[in-house]
């Protein structure tokens, strides 16, 4: 499988604010034609034992689709959230972000800054931490809506940030045509996904095109207008609605 289509940033009922069991998520996202799911349940109810149980449960629920275990870590102030996959340990909730990123990376983890606009998270990171991240969410479905983050347009694309897109899935209306295309070598399994993420063999896409193209102004202002005019039957809004309904399970 040269390219695997992955839904990224997905919460299950293992998160305090999620209510989708892993098997139900697997079924629904398989119907959306994803090959894999980059899970990101919240750190705050986890410890080492629960992390082991969760990884096993992800394996059991991987039926026709691969559920890749991961954690969304928050700092103690709950102002910066970092998604981590592929680390060989659970680091505990509420760690300072710089420490979390260092420890995750030292243990083979891949780190992505989630929703950088939320509480101005982007500005709270020091430069070395920012530079050591594997990715930044240019588009988070939950916080940014049906257009990419204005921050991605004005700031992120002018810096050396690697784009990521995330559903931040908690509920049905957050199904949306955002996907990470992963360059997986050999069999699609947890290890080959981690390898692709570590080597940055991935591309963030929206509606099937690279998000780096979508953030160019004309397309973007179209999407913004569609977002504003959602209720008014705007042509682009209708197109977005049709695309979304096509992929919904
Ligand atoms: Zn978050
Ligand atoms: Zn989240």
């Amino acid at each position: 499988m040269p390219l695997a289509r992955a839904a990224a940033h997905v919460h299950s009922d293992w998160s305090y604010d999620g209510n989708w069991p892993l098997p139900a998520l697997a079924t629904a996202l398989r119907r959306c034609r994803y090959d894999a799911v980059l899970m990101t349940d919240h750190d705050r109810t986890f410890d080492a034992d629960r992390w082991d149980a969760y990884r096993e449960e992800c394996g059991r629920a991987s039926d026709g689709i691969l559920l890749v275990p991961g954690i969304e870590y928050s700092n103690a102030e709950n102002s910066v959230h970092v998604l981590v996959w592929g680390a060989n340990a659970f680091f505990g909730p509420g760690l300072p972000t710089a420490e979390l990123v260092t420890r995750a990376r030292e243990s083979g983890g891949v780190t992505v800054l989630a929703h950088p606009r939320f509480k101005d998270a982007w500005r709270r990171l020091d430069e070395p931490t920012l530079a050591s991240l594997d990715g930044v969410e240019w588009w988070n479905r939950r916080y940014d809506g049906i257009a990419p983050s204005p921050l991605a347009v004005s700031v992120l694309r002018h810096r050396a940030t690697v784009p990521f897109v995330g559903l931040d899935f908690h509920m049905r209306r957050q199904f949306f045509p955002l996907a990470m295309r992963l360059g997986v070598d050999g069999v699609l399994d947890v290890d080959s996904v981690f390898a692709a993420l570590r080597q940055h063999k991935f591309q963030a896409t929206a509606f099937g095109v690279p998000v780096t193209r979508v953030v160019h102004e004309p397309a973007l202002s179209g999407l913004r207008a569609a977002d504003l005019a959602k209720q008014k039957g705007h042509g682009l809004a209708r197109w977005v609605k049709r695309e979304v309904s096509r992929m919904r399970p």
Side-chain angles (χ1 to χ4, degrees):
M1 172 176 294
L3 278 180
R5 198 167 166 268
H9 197 160
V10 174
H11 294 269
S12 72
D13 60 2
W14 286 68
S15 286
Y16 69 91
D17 58 355
N19 54 22
W20 280 61
L22 290 168
L25 271 176
T27 303
L29 290 164
R30 192 180 61 226
R31 287 190 188 139
C32 296
R33 298 189 300 278
Y34 289 108
D35 306 303
V37 187
L38 301 178
M39 296 298 306
T40 50
D41 280 300
H42 289 295
D43 59 1
R44 69 173 70 169
T45 58
F46 277 79
D47 58 21
D49 288 343
R50 195 161 189 262
W51 169 238
D52 286 341
Y54 173 67
R55 286 191 297 170
E56 281 173 26
E57 199 54 40
C58 283
R60 269 195 291 274
S62 291
D63 180 13
I65 187 167
L66 179 71
L67 299 188
V68 180
I71 295 282
E72 178 169 16
Y73 286 93
S74 308
N75 59 355
E77 301 79 34
N78 195 31
S79 54
V80 182
H81 293 186
V82 176
L83 315 173
V84 178
W85 299 278
N88 63 7
F90 175 72
F91 304 109
L95 286 184
T97 305
E99 182 186 340
L100 168 75
V101 170
T102 302
R103 288 181 62 185
R105 291 184 59 79
E106 280 170 1
S107 71
V110 172
T111 55
V112 173
L113 177 64
H115 40 69
R117 242 178 3 136
F118 169 74
K119 296 189 181 173
D120 237 357
W122 164 257
R123 289 182 206 282
R124 294 172 189 266
L125 300 188
D126 57 58
E127 279 297 328
T129 303
L130 208 50
S132 68
L133 292 165
D134 292 280
V136 177
E137 274 186 344
W138 283 29
W139 191 338
N140 175 296
R141 166 66 181 116
R142 185 178 178 207
Y143 286 95
D144 299 321
I146 70 161
S149 165
L151 192 64
V153 181
S154 58
V155 180
L156 301 179
R157 72 173 169 145
H158 300 299
R159 302 182 53 137
T161 67
V162 181
F164 230 79
V165 290
L167 298 175
D168 212 345
F169 180 87
H170 290 76
M171 59 189 72
R172 181 164 288 276
R173 67 182 166 82
Q174 286 149 351
F175 285 116
F176 198 71
L178 298 179
M180 295 301 299
R181 281 190 197 141
L182 307 175
V184 171
D185 285 327
V187 178
L188 177 68
D189 60 18
V190 167
D191 288 332
S192 63
V193 167
F194 290 157
L197 291 171
R198 284 185 195 116
Q199 294 161 29
H200 292 190
K201 283 159 63 177
F202 56 73
Q203 185 181 48
T205 69
F207 300 99
V209 296
V211 73
T212 43
R213 261 167 52 198
V214 179
V215 297
H216 285 303
E217 286 302 338
L220 189 77
S221 50
L223 281 171
R224 284 270 150 61
D227 205 7
L228 293 174
K230 245 180 291 195
Q231 273 85 34
K232 298 178 193 159
H234 185 281
L236 193 59
R238 280 203 303 275
W239 177 79
V240 168
K241 207 171 156 195
R242 196 166 57 238
E243 288 294 305
V244 169
S245 67
R246 264 167 39 138
M247 67 87 65
R248 275 202 175 139

